[in-house]
Amino acid sequence: MRLARPAALLILGSGLLLAACSGAGSAGSPATSAAPTTAASAAPATSSEPSASAGASASAGASGQASAASSGGAAAALSVTAKEYAFDVATSVPAGVTAITLNNAGKETHQAQLVKLNAGKTMADLQAALQNPDPSAGLKIVTLAGGPNALPPGSSGTTTANLEPGSYAFLCFVSSADGIPHVAKGMVAPLEVTGTAANTQLPSGDASLTLKDFSFDLNQLSAGKHTVTVKNDGPQSHEATIVKLNDGVTVDTLRTMFTSSQPSGSPAASGGAASPAASGSGGPASGPPWTEVGGITGIAPGTTATMDVDLPAGNYAFICFIPDATTGKPHAALGMIGALTVQ
Ligand SMILES: [Cu+2]
């Protein structure tokens, strides 16, 4: 398996081109609508309205993207389609506030963690770092920039952030049943953010969530559509994976899971524990006692973004899987699990 990983990364470049071409040519469903580079010929000219291409919402959100459209901002829209194991997305977008909609067209859970390369780092540096089984290696050379978190097949989710100019990449850290994170299977897509932001105003949210070391402060939400303003009060990067808890499962159940000794020797277990949002699929028998229903991937300390949610009533939890800067443990093991009751 180790030998296969460099090969997967080496063919990444051509794989992305193929993905972009097939996306643009097949279904008239362009990868993006915000002044894309690769999908320009297929993209509609009307690019300023969010959600035009984001109608594929299914189980978790009937039309979660609509709240981005109605929130008053002039956010540009960027559509990302995920499958095994690639993103179909534009390679360049203008700087500014951008609503990123992830459509999961695959058979596994996927996320779209946007990361900005730190000064002096290149995509080659990132791809090399991502070959390290420890995701901390890759995370050290980037700044987390949000994006929709883990979604089940057939569903979609939207988050909105202010993208500053620079070199970025979409990454999926969710692990397959074999324990290998999707980034190691080639699920990496570069994105250049260009120009000067025309719009830096985030949509106005109707709920707020603050991420801290190591807690979530939003406990209740009414059923249906919300735009949640998410602020990271740091000092570390954090995410908010939203999971629907299985019957009989509580946040205390999760706390016990994460704080008890992690099973060693199981690739799925170690991969899941170490990866941001790698809750993934460990197979029917060993899967986690929840279903991912979106949320927002990691954002840097001191930053704010929004996430659209459209949840039916039920018992949910926020989980942060980002590895701790000193111990390497997922923040969840340090207490970063929060109950969310939707009524
Ligand atoms: Cu965290």
Side-chain angles (χ1 to χ4, degrees):
M1 277 192 222
R2 289 285 172 79
L3 290 174
R5 294 167 119 188
L9 290 167
L10 282 174
I11 63 170
L12 178 66
S14 57
L16 286 170
L17 288 174
L18 288 171
C21 289
S22 63
S26 57
S29 166
T32 183
S33 55
T37 295
T38 55
S41 60
T46 55
S47 61
S48 61
E49 289 300 316
S51 85
S53 61
S57 198
S59 60
S63 54
Q65 72 284 353
S67 52
S70 64
S71 53
L78 177 62
S79 175
V80 182
T81 299
K83 60 192 178 193
E84 293 76 38
Y85 294 98
F87 292 109
D88 187 357
V89 60
T91 56
S92 176
V93 295
V97 170
T98 304
I100 299 172
T101 296
L102 173 64
N103 302 295
N104 185 351
K107 297 183 174 66
E108 299 181 29
T109 297
H110 294 293
Q111 65 172 184
Q113 169 74 65
L114 188 61
V115 301
K116 183 174 189 282
L117 292 167
N118 291 344
K121 299 299 178 185
T122 65
M123 274 303 295
D125 295 331
L126 178 59
Q127 292 186 354
L130 290 173
Q131 292 178 50
N132 189 322
D134 177 2
S136 300
L139 295 178
K140 276 177 185 150
I141 65 170
V142 298
T143 300
L144 303 187
N149 215 328
L151 289 162
S155 61
S156 68
T158 299
T159 65
T160 303
N162 182 26
L163 303 184
E164 295 178 353
S167 295
Y168 290 74
F170 283 107
L171 307 174
C172 181
F173 288 99
V174 174
S175 292
S176 293
D178 60 9
I180 298 177
H182 296 172
V183 283
K185 296 170 180 276
M187 207 157 173
V188 181
L191 177 74
E192 286 296 316
V193 176
T194 61
T196 305
N199 173 24
T200 58
Q201 182 82 39
L202 284 171
S204 54
D206 63 341
S208 64
L209 167 65
T210 302
L211 313 176
K212 296 176 187 169
D213 292 18
F214 297 98
S215 64
F216 299 94
D217 76 342
L218 178 63
N219 306 120
Q220 291 201 325
L221 209 51
S222 60
K225 291 180 191 174
H226 296 279
T227 294
V228 180
T229 300
V230 184
K231 181 169 195 289
N232 183 355
D233 268 351
Q236 295 195 37
S237 293
H238 296 295
E239 68 176 345
T241 307
I242 304 176
V243 300
K244 172 86 168 66
L245 298 174
N246 290 357
D247 285 347
V249 174
T250 67
V251 161
D252 285 341
T253 313
L254 303 192
R255 288 189 189 284
T256 302
M257 268 183 59
F258 278 99
T259 53
S260 62
S261 62
Q262 292 155 14
S264 57
S266 155
S270 61
S275 306
S279 38
S281 34
S286 61
W290 65 67
T291 303
E292 295 90 346
V293 293
I296 188 167
T297 56
I299 57 175
T303 62
T304 300
T306 68
M307 65 176 178
D308 293 348
V309 299
D310 187 0
L311 299 170
N315 292 318
Y316 299 80
F318 292 116
I319 306 178
C320 180
F321 293 92
I322 295 198
D324 179 57
T326 52
T327 65
K329 290 181 180 178
H331 290 173
L334 303 174
M336 199 158 176
I337 302 169
L340 174 66
T341 304
V342 177
Q343 297 174 309

